[in-house]
Amino acid sequence: AFKALRDNLKRAGRLNGETELVLRQQVFWGFDNDERSVTRTKLNMFLVGDGHMNVHERDTIVDWGDGDWCEGAFQYILTNPPMGKYEGDEDISSFEFTNERRMELLFTERVIRATEPGGGIAIVLNDGALEAPSRQQYRQKLLEYCDVRAVVSLTKFAFAPYTKEKTYVVFMRRKQKADEGVRQGHPIWHYIVDYDGFANSDKRFRTKYHDDLPELTEFYAGAMRLLDEWASIPDQFEARRGEYEREVHDQERSEGLWGAKCAFVPIGAVADSNFDNLLSEFHLRPHEAVPMSLSDVEASIANLRGLMRELAGRELE
């Protein structure tokens, strides 16, 4: 990100000693409670020429509300928060989004509150955060405190071999204070990354045959610009939405995929009847119900029992 901003300033003829100093000292901030991660980050930033002076060892669930980590402190926050059970000592009774001691849920609220009204957020979340019925209140709060603009579904191997947990990047904009508590009305753009240029396996070697990221990069900026026209120029939105929506093509279908690759999902489809589900697959690739007769069900159960007996016999051997 530092290199991208520096290159953009240079191309625009705006990179000079003053702007570079601001870029090094006032733009990038980072927090982590792992001292080793902080050290590695500072080294990486130093190697690309950044000042790395605002990277701190800090538990931002506990250490909140003062100094540089407080309400509305940042214009943009990009984060891949830790996931799993929160075993810290922080009293979570003051959290509004959840009463569950899950790190990804608690961090989401901290991140939103640390972003200024109108600021942008990109956060990696797991599928449980976006679909579990028990976390419906959490998703309702997302839609009331932020405008969820895009959800990008990553492959389950995106972070392999460290984890194969299914994850999504959720792009949001924090609402203005006067709009907090009002559920968003605009649609959400979804894109499913089936292939990211690396093998879908624990061994993440690069492959030249499958890579959705160039298309995602090409579509994303235009889809977000069009989304801004949804309220002001609805006819324009409807006329052009097809530029950023598509069904899976023949090659993808031959590989077992179905439904849509990307589409705008109306907010009405995120409903109480589905616990405000935000999963891309739920909306773009729903499973069709296949009717079965009672005899078909009984035959399936008999086959399953036979398979279980066979497996049990192999275990005994």
Side-chain angles (χ1 to χ4, degrees):
F2 171 83
K3 289 190 288 187
L5 285 177
R6 185 177 59 188
D7 291 346
N8 288 343
L9 288 168
K10 188 174 182 179
R11 280 194 296 270
R14 296 170 54 194
L15 186 65
N16 54 43
E18 182 180 353
T19 55
E20 186 155 9
L21 189 64
V22 170
L23 191 60
R24 287 179 175 178
Q25 297 185 359
Q26 299 179 32
V27 173
F28 289 98
W29 299 70
F31 306 95
D32 199 290
N33 69 344
D34 182 350
E35 181 182 4
R36 293 169 299 176
S37 295
V38 171
T39 301
R40 284 193 289 263
T41 299
K42 286 185 174 182
L43 176 60
N44 286 337
M45 295 176 77
F46 173 79
L47 292 175
V48 298
D50 182 55
H52 66 270
M53 61 188 303
N54 298 314
V55 180
H56 306 290
E57 181 184 352
R58 188 169 187 175
D59 183 340
T60 51
I61 286 184
V62 176
D63 196 1
W64 163 258
D66 65 282
D68 45 26
W69 182 249
C70 59
E71 183 83 19
F74 304 102
Q75 293 175 311
Y76 300 94
I77 295 183
L78 296 82
T79 182
N80 178 8
M83 300 177 190
K85 184 178 179 181
Y86 174 61
E87 297 179 338
D89 298 327
E90 179 70 0
D91 178 8
I92 68 167
S93 61
S94 63
F95 283 77
E96 289 186 44
F97 285 38
T98 184
N99 58 7
E100 190 178 353
R101 298 182 72 85
R102 292 281 304 186
M103 289 188 289
E104 64 271 25
L105 308 184
L106 299 172
F107 267 104
T108 302
E109 181 168 342
R110 287 287 196 245
V111 164
I112 290 172
R113 296 197 184 282
T115 306
E116 70 177 19
I121 298 165
I123 184 170
V124 177
L125 294 171
N126 54 21
D127 51 0
L130 299 183
E131 74 162 344
S134 62
R135 293 168 190 157
Q136 182 180 11
Q137 176 187 320
Y138 163 82
R139 292 187 291 277
Q140 289 173 338
K141 291 294 184 181
L142 287 186
L143 298 170
E144 291 173 0
Y145 278 81
C146 293
D147 290 321
V148 178
R149 297 171 60 77
V151 178
V152 174
S153 170
L154 304 179
T155 79
K156 70 176 183 177
F157 298 99
F159 296 103
Y162 308 106
T163 178
K164 286 186 283 188
E165 186 166 17
K166 187 73 173 73
T167 52
Y168 299 74
V169 186
V170 182
F171 295 87
M172 304 183 287
R173 178 185 292 164
R174 184 174 179 182
K175 292 180 185 290
Q176 299 295 330
K177 284 289 186 180
D179 296 326
E180 285 184 357
V182 179
R183 186 182 176 94
Q184 76 177 61
H186 67 73
I188 300 171
W189 188 69
H190 289 261
Y191 187 100
I192 299 177
V193 177
D194 296 296
Y195 307 101
D196 60 5
F198 292 84
N200 280 343
S201 68
D202 287 340
K203 295 181 179 179
R204 298 285 284 158
F205 57 87
R206 183 169 285 280
T207 172
K208 62 181 179 180
Y209 299 108
H210 296 91
D211 190 357
D212 294 329
L213 299 187
E215 181 183 61
L216 171 61
T217 302
E218 178 187 352
F219 280 13
Y220 179 83
M224 294 304 98
R225 285 193 296 269
L226 187 59
L227 199 57
D228 289 333
E229 297 177 359
W230 174 82
S232 58
I233 321 176
D235 292 342
Q236 173 96 334
F237 174 83
E238 290 299 329
R240 294 188 53 206
R241 61 182 297 172
E243 297 175 24
Y244 308 103
E245 298 180 315
R246 76 168 177 87
E247 298 292 305
V248 297
H249 52 58
D250 291 343
Q251 177 63 36
E252 292 165 336
R253 195 172 292 109
S254 71
E255 295 171 353
L257 304 179
W258 72 96
K261 186 70 173 175
C262 52
F264 291 97
V265 174
I267 197 62
V270 183
D272 189 64
S273 60
N274 55 46
F275 304 99
D276 295 298
N277 196 312
L278 290 172
L279 283 196
S280 303
E281 288 79 7
F282 177 82
H283 295 287
L284 303 191
R285 296 178 183 173
H287 288 279
E288 294 184 6
V290 179
M292 295 180 68
S293 66
L294 181 58
S295 59
D296 289 336
V297 174
E298 290 173 342
S300 296
I301 293 174
N303 288 336
L304 181 59
R305 285 174 174 164
L307 178 61
M308 293 174 66
R309 283 194 294 269
E310 181 181 346
L311 291 174
R314 290 180 183 177
E315 289 293 327
L316 290 174
E317 292 174 4

